[in-house]
Amino acid sequence: PEEPETPVEPETPACEYINETFASDFGVFSTEETVGNYPWVIDYSTAKATSYVDTDGDGKADANKEATSWLVSPTINLTNETEAYVAFDYIIRYSESGKVAANHQLLISNNYAGNAAEATWVDLPYNAVEGADWATFYKANVDVPAEFLGKSGVVFALRYTATVKAGTWEVKNFKVAHGKAEVVELLKDDVHAAVAHVETLMNSKFGDVENPLLVSVRSGARASMPGMMDTILNLGMNDEA
């Protein structure tokens, strides 16, 4: 009798498809400009886009210029992928009012062929927020849409846009990997910033032994549920404080 065929094991998806820090160069990424001539650059160990430029040669930026500038990933193969996510750290400052998300986009395509203007792009919304300083990076963490899983020729891009006012966008630690986006990581920076704000208002510090900030945490739901959800009081009190 014929021996049964050995079943073919499905290929295991790669743990990481892209992992670029932009500390000293663009790595596997390429740049492209479809409006203006203000390409992404490596500056302060990040990939940076801005079209707020020096026009009189004194070394100081003094003019907002219209621009659409792209930072484009290589093509990756998600044929065997069932779940994947994109993550990066960023600072956005001096963006045009009301256009933080629209002018600093994360995009995905599976028909990019070397010309960003001719490809079909899908916006991947992330928590695009205006920063208050040049030291605090926010985290973007987004699941790859289901319609791109199981496909080859997938490309990601960061698109910087400026019309009336030119903001500045700094990005580092860009990663595409197998798995789900980490919502806890996405919220961590916002929680830390909110606690720091309350510390300033109350002139106390969360976890401090001498002058601890104490807070309460309430559960919430779409519908009113009296008595069904817990409230934690005096969070921040411990054996020492």
Side-chain angles (χ1 to χ4, degrees):
E2 295 182 2
E3 293 186 6
E5 294 183 4
T6 303
V8 178
E9 294 290 336
E11 294 184 33
T12 302
C15 291
E16 288 186 349
Y17 297 94
I18 298 173
N19 191 345
E20 290 292 350
T21 65
F22 302 131
S24 58
D25 56 44
F26 291 118
V28 296
F29 281 72
S30 60
T31 63
E32 188 175 338
E33 297 78 53
T34 51
V35 176
N37 185 26
Y38 306 98
W40 286 77
V41 298
I42 298 297
D43 197 15
Y44 293 99
S45 298
T46 68
K48 185 178 81 173
T50 188
S51 57
Y52 184 54
V53 296
D54 174 18
T55 59
D56 58 15
D58 66 353
K60 297 179 181 180
D62 54 34
N64 297 282
K65 297 294 185 178
E66 189 173 359
T68 302
S69 305
W70 303 72
L71 187 60
V72 185
S73 81
T75 299
I76 63 175
N77 186 352
L78 299 180
T79 301
N80 300 305
E81 193 56 84
T82 56
E83 55 183 27
Y85 69 94
V86 188
F88 58 90
D89 302 330
Y90 73 92
I91 293 174
I92 298 172
R93 297 202 68 192
Y94 307 115
S95 176
E96 183 176 346
S97 178
K99 292 190 175 181
V100 177
N103 287 355
H104 308 84
Q105 292 178 292
L106 169 65
L107 305 172
I108 186 172
S109 174
N110 68 336
N111 69 351
Y112 175 78
N115 187 332
E118 295 178 353
T120 302
W121 297 96
V122 174
D123 185 24
L124 300 181
Y126 64 99
N127 61 321
V129 296
E130 176 91 19
D133 57 58
W134 293 111
T136 305
F137 282 83
Y138 293 87
K139 291 185 179 294
N141 208 323
V142 182
D143 285 317
V144 175
E147 60 265 32
F148 291 92
L149 301 175
K151 292 186 176 181
S152 60
V154 177
V155 173
F156 297 89
L158 297 175
R159 181 171 67 188
Y160 168 86
T161 304
T163 51
V164 176
K165 191 174 187 294
T168 297
W169 191 12
E170 294 183 352
V171 176
K172 65 180 183 179
N173 301 329
F174 191 101
K175 181 167 71 172
V176 180
H178 170 73
K180 299 286 288 182
E182 299 175 1
V183 176
V184 172
E185 287 298 318
L186 182 65
L187 296 175
K188 185 183 294 183
D189 289 339
D190 290 339
V191 172
H192 287 174
V195 171
H197 179 62
V198 176
E199 287 175 339
T200 300
L201 294 176
M202 301 301 295
N203 194 29
S204 56
K205 189 169 182 62
F206 190 76
D208 187 72
V209 175
E210 303 263 337
N211 185 25
L213 171 70
L214 303 180
V215 299
S216 63
V217 180
R218 299 188 61 188
S219 305
R222 292 180 61 187
S224 178
M225 302 171 65
M228 297 296 292
M229 308 188 82
D230 294 332
T231 295
I232 301 172
L233 300 177
N234 296 327
L235 185 64
M237 183 179 292
N238 53 49
D239 292 339
E240 296 179 355

